[in-house]
Structures are given as structure tokens and as C-alpha cells.
């Protein structure tokens, strides 16, 4: 089984397990925080996975209203298409931030993130994985990787996995 196919299957399974309001909110927080672009008036999440696309749209529209996510698709030759999921406008982004427990300073910098409860850590971690993670097939030895948009996010994620989940990683 190819690495890409395995990672797609793991993401599909992770996405299917996100049910219930608290888990959905924790997952949404992870997806938003580790999206490709994030500001007080713009969120961009990129994915090759339809299940991730559909989950982000469902969670976002439940929190901020139908039609808040615009979806476009970029064809890339023989590679799977890349879905670009955008939420624009202070009102829609603000609703998502409120739902996910994210706040910004007046200058536009990330201020705080309400940590998920112990019960919903898995859903938060799933959201992070769905947003920016990949995993290599077990035949080649497990390898879980996250690509974050800033060094600070990398460090915070490493600290989160070490302290809350007992997993050590490298940057």
C-alpha cells in the first residue's frame, strides 16, 4: 500500500470519528490553528483529502453558517487535486474562533487558545493531524509528521504531544 493511500485512509477514519459537539469543537480548533493561513479575517485550509474537506466544511458551517466556506479545487497533473477551503470576513472567522476557543489581540496576533478538556484531546489532535499531518504505512515503520506554518506552532505542538500525550518528537 502506498504511503499516500495509507495516510488518506487514516485521515478518513479519523474524520469519521468526530461526533458530538465537544469533539467537533476540539477538532475544529486543531484544524483552524494548523491551517495553511490564519488571521482575524481569513482562514485557508488546504487538503488533498475529500473526507477532510467535507469535515471542515461541515464543522465550519455548523459554527458560522451555511456558505461560510468557499471551496476551490486545483488540479496538479497526476497528483490528487488540492482543495482550497477559505473562510473570509471578520464575522465568519470570528464565529469560528469563538466556537474553537481562539482569540486574537487587537494587533492581529494570536492571543489565547482554550485548551481542550482531557476527554477531547484526541479530537483536537485529530484536527491537527487532519489539517497538517501525514503518516507512513506500517510496512515501512510508522512515521507521523506535521508541517506547521510557523516555528512557534511546531514548538507548541511538540510541547503539547510531550506533555499531554506522552509522545516525544523532533523538529
Amino acid at each position: 500500500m502506498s504511503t499516500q493511500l495509507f495516510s488518506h485512509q487514516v485521515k478518513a477514519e479519523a474524520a469519521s470519528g468526530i461526533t458530538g459537539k465537544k469533539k467537533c469543537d476540539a477538532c475544529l480548533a486543531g484544524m483552524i490553528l494548523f491551517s495553511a493561513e490564519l488571521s482575524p479575517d481569513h482562514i485557508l485550509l488546504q487538503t488533498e483529502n475529500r473526507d477532510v474537506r467535507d469535515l471542515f466544511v461541515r464543522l465550519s458551517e455548523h459554527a458560522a453558517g451555511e456558505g461560510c466556506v468557499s471551496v476551490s479545487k486545483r488540479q496538479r497533473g497526476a497528483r490528487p487535486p488540492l482543495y482550497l477551503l477559505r473562510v473570509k470576513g471578520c464575522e465568519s472567522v470570528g464565529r469560528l474562533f469563538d466556537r474553537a476557543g481562539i482569540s486574537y489581540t487587537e494587533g492581529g496576533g494570536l492571543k489565547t487558545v482554550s485548551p481542550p478538556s482531557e476527554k477531547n484531546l484526541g479530537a483536537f489532535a485529530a484536527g491537527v493531524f487532519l489539517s497538517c499531518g501525514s503518516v507512513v504505512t506500517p510496512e515501512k515503520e510508522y512515521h507521523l509528521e506535521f508541517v506547521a506554518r510557523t516555528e512557534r506552532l511546531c514548538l507548541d505542538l511538540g510541547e503539547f504531544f510531550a506533555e499531554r500525550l506522552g509522545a516525544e518528537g523532533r523538529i
Side-chain angles (χ1 to χ4, degrees):
M1 177 182 304
S2 78
T3 297
Q4 188 172 15
L5 180 60
F6 180 74
S7 196
H8 271 261
Q9 289 176 334
V10 172
K11 284 187 176 189
E13 187 173 326
S16 71
I18 304 301
T19 59
K21 183 184 181 315
K22 299 285 186 192
K23 281 186 180 180
C24 287
D25 291 350
C27 180
L28 182 62
M31 293 178 91
I32 290 171
L33 286 171
F34 288 85
S35 60
E37 295 176 11
L38 182 63
S39 74
D41 65 352
H42 178 79
I43 299 169
L44 171 64
L45 189 132
Q46 300 175 340
T47 185
E48 296 177 345
N49 191 298
R50 287 188 304 266
D51 296 300
V52 173
R53 175 199 65 196
D54 294 346
L55 178 65
F56 183 75
V57 170
R58 178 174 60 88
L59 297 178
S60 296
E61 288 187 344
H62 189 262
E66 193 172 325
C68 71
V69 180
S70 69
V71 179
S72 59
K73 182 166 81 170
R74 183 181 301 156
Q75 292 301 135
R76 305 177 304 160
R79 294 179 63 193
L82 182 66
Y83 297 101
L84 306 169
L85 313 169
R86 296 180 194 277
V87 179
K88 290 185 178 180
C90 293
E91 187 176 331
S92 292
V93 172
R95 286 183 184 161
L96 291 180
F97 284 178
D98 287 346
R99 187 65 166 260
I102 300 168
S103 65
Y104 265 81
T105 64
E106 287 189 30
L110 189 61
K111 182 179 177 185
T112 61
V113 178
S114 300
S117 68
E118 289 294 321
K119 185 177 178 180
N120 296 308
L121 284 177
F124 176 79
V128 174
F129 172 69
L130 294 170
S131 188
C132 70
S134 64
V135 64
V136 174
T137 181
E139 289 90 34
K140 297 181 180 180
E141 197 173 314
Y142 282 111
H143 175 81
L144 179 63
E145 186 172 303
F146 297 89
V147 178
R149 70 182 175 284
T150 67
E151 183 178 357
R152 179 76 257 159
L153 275 175
C154 282
L155 295 170
D156 289 347
L157 184 61
E159 186 177 301
F160 168 78
F161 278 114
E163 289 180 5
R164 304 289 296 273
L165 302 176
E168 294 294 324
R170 293 181 298 202
I171 294 176

